[in-house]
Amino acid sequence: MVDREANITALTYFHDRPLAAGIDTDEIILEVCRDEGLQQVIWLSRPLSEAELPSRYEAIYREGVRRYGQPQTEPGAKVVSWPSGRALLAIRKAVPGERRLTMLARGDHYEACSVAHQAATGHPASRHASDLILGQTP
C-alpha cells in the first residue's frame, strides 16, 4: 500500500508480502522523504498473547541495545526510547488479552524531513508514528 502526504511517501507491507514475512510480523511501514530518502522504518508485530509477549519483547529489546546502546526508560513504561532519538520500542493494546509490539527506527535526516512536513501540513512527521504506537487511527 502506498500513502503520500506532502514530502513523505509511506510504503506499507503486510504480513503476507516480502519485507514483512517474519513469523511475528504483521506490518512494516517504510517512510521515504522526498529529499532525505528512507528515514523511518516501523515494524508492527502480530497480536501476541500475554504468554508470548515477554520473550518477543526481550529479543527486540536486546537488539535495540546492541544497535543503539542503553535506552532511556521510566519504570513501568510501555515505551522505551534510545538516547540518540533514533529508535523506540513500544507495547500497545490489541484485542483483549493480547498486545502488539512496535519498533521504530529513524534515519539521520529525519528531523529535516519532519520540519519540511510540518511546514506543508501543520503537523510534524512523528504524528503518524505516534498514532500507530498509541493505537489511534491517523
Side-chain angles (χ1 to χ4, degrees):
M1 183 171 71
V2 177
D3 187 23
R4 287 187 179 88
E5 184 179 60
N7 64 321
I8 297 177
T9 300
L11 306 169
T12 302
Y13 296 87
F14 297 99
H15 65 90
D16 59 344
R17 298 285 181 212
L19 291 182
I23 192 167
D24 290 326
T25 301
D26 190 39
E27 291 179 43
I28 291 181
I29 302 165
L30 306 178
E31 290 189 356
V32 182
C33 300
R34 182 179 305 126
D35 296 330
E36 297 80 9
L38 177 62
Q39 288 300 306
Q40 186 159 259
V41 177
I42 303 168
W43 174 83
L44 300 155
S45 77
R46 65 177 173 80
L48 299 167
S49 71
E50 294 295 333
E52 293 175 294
L53 186 64
S55 64
R56 301 311 196 281
Y57 179 91
E58 186 59 31
I60 295 167
Y61 179 87
R62 280 194 316 269
E63 181 62 17
V65 169
R66 186 186 72 75
R67 288 182 184 203
Y68 306 109
Q70 288 300 315
Q72 298 169 327
T73 184
E74 299 294 323
K78 300 284 188 208
V79 177
V80 174
S81 62
W82 275 265
S84 63
R86 295 192 55 200
L88 178 130
L89 173 60
I91 300 171
R92 65 174 249 205
K93 292 181 181 178
V95 298
E98 294 182 329
R99 302 283 182 257
R100 286 183 189 262
L101 295 174
T102 303
M103 182 73 180
L104 175 146
R106 291 186 172 149
D108 293 335
H109 305 290
Y110 180 80
E111 200 54 45
C113 176
S114 186
V115 166
H117 191 75
Q118 185 159 4
T121 65
H123 63 266
S126 60
R127 182 179 128 203
H128 304 287
S130 293
D131 290 345
L132 276 173
I133 291 165
L134 298 173
Q136 300 171 357
T137 338

